[in-house]
Amino acid sequence: MTHTAQALSTSTPYRVSLTDSSGHTWYADEPADKGGQDTAPNPIQLLLSALGACTTITLEMYANHKGIKLDHVQVDLALNPNAEPEAGQNNIERKITLKGEFTEEQHKRLLKVAESCPVHKLLTSNISIQTELSI
């Protein structure tokens, strides 16, 4: 399955309209102190939220498939929360809180399953980006 997205500038400085091939629309913006209007998450927040959403969905799907009673999933994420990283190194801190009725063994398995979400796999893989300028 090919995933696509498009980013378009808008008349508002630093506000970007984002769309996908399914017709969804959402936005990115920068905070006011960086010249934006703070009307939407910034690009890093969007990246972190993609990991959080994928983690939550993967855990819910697994629990449903295995008949595990998972009532609530919360994923808190932060990029480089403790210090400025070395050049070329970054750290995403992910804290997962699970509520439901499950055994200690199921709990451990759920935490392992979180690492198999597609966005986690993508972010921890060797990514290559080919860029072409079109005028």
Side-chain angles (χ1 to χ4, degrees):
M1 173 199 245
T2 300
H3 299 280
T4 63
Q6 183 178 60
L8 298 169
S9 62
T10 66
S11 60
T12 304
Y14 307 128
R15 182 172 165 92
V16 178
S17 175
L18 303 160
T19 58
D20 65 17
S21 57
S22 298
H24 301 108
T25 301
W26 66 106
Y27 300 92
D29 198 353
E30 285 293 334
D33 65 352
K34 292 195 175 179
Q37 302 299 307
D38 201 23
T39 62
N42 70 40
I44 297 298
Q45 291 167 322
L46 289 172
L47 176 72
L48 292 174
S49 65
L51 177 59
C54 186
T55 300
T56 302
I57 291 166
T58 299
L59 288 169
E60 288 177 342
M61 286 179 164
Y62 179 82
N64 286 338
H65 178 72
K66 295 294 185 177
I68 299 171
K69 185 163 176 24
L70 187 58
D71 297 327
H72 182 75
V73 178
Q74 178 176 327
V75 182
D76 295 292
L77 298 133
L79 178 64
N80 302 318
N82 298 319
E84 279 297 314
E86 294 179 29
Q89 295 290 331
N90 286 288
N91 180 49
I92 295 175
E93 183 178 283
R94 177 174 56 175
K95 180 182 175 190
I96 302 169
T97 304
L98 304 174
K99 295 195 185 320
E101 296 176 22
F102 39 83
T103 65
E104 182 63 31
E105 182 65 30
Q106 289 171 325
H107 185 257
K108 287 178 186 175
R109 181 69 186 136
L110 287 164
L111 291 177
K112 184 73 176 158
V113 165
E115 294 183 356
S116 69
C117 95
V119 174
H120 179 103
K121 287 180 179 180
L122 177 66
L123 291 173
T124 57
S125 72
N126 185 8
I127 298 174
S128 174
I129 300 173
Q130 290 81 38
T131 302
E132 174 184 321
L133 182 59
S134 177
I135 16 181

